[in-house]
Amino acid sequence: APAPEKGDGEENLRGTLATQLRRRQDWNREAFKRRVMGNMEIVHKITELYLQSAPQLIDRILASVAEENYRDLRSAAHELSGMSENLGAEKMALVAKEIQLAALDRRDDDLHYLLSELRDQYARLEDVTKG
């Protein structure tokens, strides 16, 4: 079997991630509301906390990649993934999980693509939650 071309893994990740992202919502607000039993005060408070905390985690993720600190990268991505899941930010959670996996295997090419995707998804989520 021929050796895979350099970059094939990244293209495969892009295709797979794009498919998975299409199946998810930026913000599954209704599921989040159900989780907090329709308490809109909690919805607003947790959303506000998320929008304050997520940029700090994203900065930590970016710094960890630059420093090749894979342990902190996995930790920050795990934290962001969990926060995103709790909020119903399905696409952010997915991208953060993929960053965790890429950090585990030290797939630097994938990480750079995923960081770009993370920034895009956060910008979209910010628009949706503030809208």
Side-chain angles (χ1 to χ4, degrees), residues 1-124:
E5 294 290 319
K6 179 138 178 70
D8 277 359
E10 185 178 343
E11 286 304 315
N12 189 25
L13 172 72
R14 286 178 189 224
T16 303
L17 185 62
T19 299
Q20 291 180 13
L21 287 171
R22 279 193 298 274
R23 295 178 182 154
R24 288 172 171 76
Q25 296 180 39
D26 292 317
W27 186 27
N28 190 339
R29 189 169 189 240
E30 291 310 309
F32 178 49
K33 277 173 45 181
R34 282 192 303 274
R35 242 188 327 280
V36 297
M37 295 183 218
N39 185 326
M40 291 310 291
E41 186 178 334
I42 292 175
V43 168
H44 294 301
K45 210 167 265 196
I46 291 176
T47 302
E48 188 178 305
L49 284 171
Y50 180 92
L51 293 173
Q52 290 170 6
S53 303
Q56 296 166 357
L57 284 171
I58 292 169
D59 287 346
R60 198 170 124 205
I61 287 168
L62 296 172
S64 297
V65 169
E67 298 163 6
E68 295 182 0
N69 183 342
Y70 296 100
R71 174 182 280 166
D72 194 47
L73 175 57
R74 286 192 314 270
S75 172
H78 178 77
E79 196 173 333
L80 182 61
S81 174
M83 282 175 41
S84 299
E85 286 279 344
N86 286 338
L87 186 71
E90 297 175 353
K91 292 181 179 184
M92 280 291 293
L94 175 64
V95 173
K97 283 179 190 171
E98 288 296 329
I99 289 171
Q100 272 184 272
L101 294 173
L104 191 61
D105 298 334
R106 298 179 183 220
R107 290 182 277 126
D108 292 332
D109 288 345
D110 287 348
L111 282 170
H112 291 287
Y113 165 68
L114 288 165
L115 293 181
S116 172
E117 191 64 44
L118 182 70
R119 285 192 283 271
D120 291 349
Q121 292 301 331
Y122 182 75
R124 290 178 59 173

